[in-house]
Amino acid sequence: MTKVASLPARASRAVVALMIGAGVVLALPQSARPAEAAPGMSAADLAVTFEWAIDTERTVRGLAPLTVDATVSGQAQVWSGGMALFHTLVEDRYFGTEMAAAAPAWHYGGENVGVGPSAASIEAAFMASPPHRANILGAYTHVGVGVFVDSRGAVWVTERFYS
């Protein structure tokens, strides 16, 4: 099963705070045992796979590809690792603060987070979800992607978009 979460940057902090305050978390069920993500593929290789998929979706629709921001990708990597550690799918409530530190001139952004058995399954779920699709096809200029593969082979991803 692939799970995804997305909200615009401004709303994500408030919603996450409400979810945490209410004790609501989105997590991969303990009974789910995804198959190996992609034998031989590192998390860095999987991140490039997501970046390629994002740019493919954009260019097929006549949109410009996004510039990959290594600093934002590093932040996304840390967030993906934390989600995997706690087996909890949730957006980063400090997204705006982290973006301001990484790209002081940023104006707006969005974040997609997901978990599943493969990059392809997660990206397909993102494109099938209107809010995630809106981020992928949005009026952004930059992206950062971080991936973590846990001990069960589940792929955890964070995609951060901004302009």
Side-chain angles (χ1 to χ4, degrees), residues 36-82:
E36 289 290 90
M41 286 190 79
S42 68
D45 292 337
L46 288 166
V48 171
T49 299
F50 279 102
E51 293 162 3
W52 178 84
I54 290 165
D55 280 345
T56 299
E57 294 292 352
R58 292 177 62 82
T59 56
V60 163
R61 290 162 180 82
L63 301 170
L66 301 176
T67 300
V68 176
D69 182 319
T71 302
V72 174
S73 291
Q75 292 174 343
Q77 174 70 32
V78 169
W79 190 252
S80 293

Side-chain angles (χ1 to χ4, degrees), residues 6-25:
S6 176
L7 293 172
R10 289 183 189 161
S12 75
R13 278 185 251 142
V15 171
V16 170
L18 289 172
M19 288 171 58
I20 290 170
V24 176
V25 293

Side-chain angles (χ1 to χ4, degrees), residues 133-147:
R133 181 184 179 94
N135 278 339
I136 292 167
L137 302 178
Y140 299 112
T141 57
H142 293 77
V143 67
V145 178
V147 175

